[in-house]
């Protein structure tokens, strides 16, 4: 058996985040690790309406965590330029304006060399090279002393006043994206360029704040200190992290008296956008599990199993949909001391999901015992009694292969395994006026001595290596 979850419907979340993005220039997308932040962003990028309105650029600072401070920003620039090129967004910028604004000839040479190093031969390659040759002839190396002095800062890697050719290249491209244009007779509407800084919660804490400090140093516009902008002119910057966990880390590093909200205000225009699709996925998983095993009514009573699911990350839940429980069995029959039964019975598959969710054997035992107890606590006639007996049939039979009846509350049930050529099912019937011998019934207290032997026999018929049964 395999649980296959169709595409998770996050249209409501997507709409809410789109509205947030429309009105907020600096955003923290906050969710716990593995709760679906990347899934939301991927759906955002694929959404046609969002594609018409925004141009998304994504960088992953986890790749820069071993770099020196002054190198981090160079890596960021490199990643943005590569993405600009891959989308052919460099080809339409004004090279005259770009090359004319570069401070030094060495700087111009480095930018052109960089572009030609990864741009394939073609029209854009020729355009860059020919423009460089043209400007090379006209280039005036005689600069005023003040210009030379300022250029030293403009070309110093990592400097907050840094304004080298690569930075200007990005600025020109971002500016071009942000404006309406007519290309080959077709109108290209302006888009809002958005920079997404992903996976910040995967960083080592000391690297997290180091990179945040580097990014924050380039958020303020040195020409307009009264306005919080960003280095390249992006319309929006989105930091992807767990805002609340980062607060605990911040206080651990800087002390409980340090103002986390004040520190993070540099990155925020409003409260973080808090997000999780984990509980949507849990409901979808439980619904399909209940349907395939016929245990909808029983799931609420599996306390430890549901707690384990609730405590799982989205990635953990996704793993539960990636295996086929049939592959865990050595054969089609579960064998015990005095007989066998098909491994297609629901309990066998439920236990594998319990095991793969990370439940220890004692918690599995407790959940099964709790189910059994229910049939001794409710009145005759409830359908849940039938379903519990059907589910726990393999447990009852393993140690008492001749058992035929179970006494529950004020009723007695007869049950047996019905095999046909193409199927097998447990049949349960209410027996009216039954006065049979008590040795043919299972009592409430018997279950505690039955579950562990059942699991040990099951471990022979199936791969339950994750459970410790010694």
């Amino acid at each position: 058996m395999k649980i296959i979850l169709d595409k998770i419907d996050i249209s409501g979340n997507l709409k809410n985040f789109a509205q947030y993005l429309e009105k907020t220039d600096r955003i923290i997308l906050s969710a716990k690790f593995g709760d679906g932040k990347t899934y939301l962003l991927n759906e955002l990028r694929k959404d046609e309406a969002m594609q018409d309105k925004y141009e998304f650029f994504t960088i992953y600072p986890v790749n820069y965590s071993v770099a020196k401070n002054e190198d981090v920003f160079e890596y960021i620039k490199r990643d943005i330029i590569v993405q600009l090129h891959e989308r052919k967004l460099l080809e339409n910028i004004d090279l005259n304006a770009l090359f004319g604004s570069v401070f030094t000839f060495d700087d111009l040479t480095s930018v052109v060399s960089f572009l030609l190093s990864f741009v394939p031969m073609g029209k854009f390659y020729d355009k860059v090279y020919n423009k460089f040759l043209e400007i090379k002839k006209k280039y005036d190396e005689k600069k005023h002393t003040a210009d030379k002095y300022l250029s030293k800062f403009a070309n110093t890697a990592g400097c907050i006043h840094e304004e080298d050719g690569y930075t200007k290249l990005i600025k020109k491209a971002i500016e071009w994206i942000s404006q309406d244009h007519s290309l080959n007779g077709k109108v290209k509407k302006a888009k809002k360029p958005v920079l997404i800084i992903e996976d910040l919660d995967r960083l080592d804490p000391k690297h997290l704040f180091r990179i945040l400090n580097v990014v924050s140093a380039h958020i303020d516009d040195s020409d307009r200190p009264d306005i919080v902008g960003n280095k390249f002119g992006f319309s929006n910057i989105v930091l992807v992290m767990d805002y609340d966990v980062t607060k605990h880390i911040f206080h651990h590093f800087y002390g409980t008296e340090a103002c986390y909200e004040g520190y993070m205000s540099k990155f925020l225009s409003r409260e973080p956008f808090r997000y999780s699709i984990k509980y949507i996925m849990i409901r979808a998983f439980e619904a399909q599990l209940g349907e395939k095993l016929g245990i909808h009514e029983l799931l609420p009573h599996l306390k430890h199993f549901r707690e384990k699911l609730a405590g799982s990350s989205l990635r953990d839940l996704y793993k539960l949909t990636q295996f086929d429980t049939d592959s865990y069995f050595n054969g089609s029959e579960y064998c015990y001391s005095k007989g066998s039964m098909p491994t297609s019975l629901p309990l066998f598959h439920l236990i594998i999901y319990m095991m793969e969710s990370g439940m220890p054997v004692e918690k599995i035992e407790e959940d099964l015992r709790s189910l059994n107890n229910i049939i001794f606590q409710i009145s005759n006639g409830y359908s849940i009694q039938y379903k519990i007996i059907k589910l726990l049939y393999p447990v009852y039979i393993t140690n008492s292969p001749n058992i035929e009846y179970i006494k529950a509350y004020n009723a007695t049930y007869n049950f047996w395994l019905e095999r046909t050529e193409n199927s097998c099912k447990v049949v349960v019937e209410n027996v009216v006026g039954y006065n049979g011998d008590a040795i043919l019934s299972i009592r409430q207290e018997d279950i505690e001595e039955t579950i562990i032997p059942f699991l040990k026999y099951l471990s022979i018929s199936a791969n339950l290596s994750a459970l410790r049964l010694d």
Side-chain angles (χ1 to χ4, degrees), residues 214-256:
V214 171
V215 172
S216 69
H218 292 272
I219 279 182
D220 288 331
D221 186 340
S222 58
D223 295 328
R224 293 292 306 277
D226 56 315
I227 297 177
V228 177
N230 61 80
K231 187 76 173 178
F232 304 117
F234 285 97
S235 297
N236 306 79
I237 294 182
V238 180
L239 300 184
V240 185
M241 62 196 296
D242 186 330
Y243 184 80
D244 300 315
V245 168
T246 305
K247 181 176 182 177
H248 293 299
I249 298 171
F250 178 86
H251 285 146
H252 175 74
F253 265 73
Y254 298 111
T256 56

Side-chain angles (χ1 to χ4, degrees), residues 437-466:
D437 196 323
I439 62 170
L440 295 178
S441 67
I442 188 167
R443 296 164 298 170
Q444 182 172 351
E445 58 270 21
D446 291 335
I447 196 71
E448 296 188 21
E449 300 175 0
T450 304
I451 295 173
I452 293 299
F454 159 72
L455 289 175
K456 287 185 175 179
Y457 276 116
L458 181 58
S459 69
I460 299 171
S461 299
N463 179 13
L464 301 185
S465 57

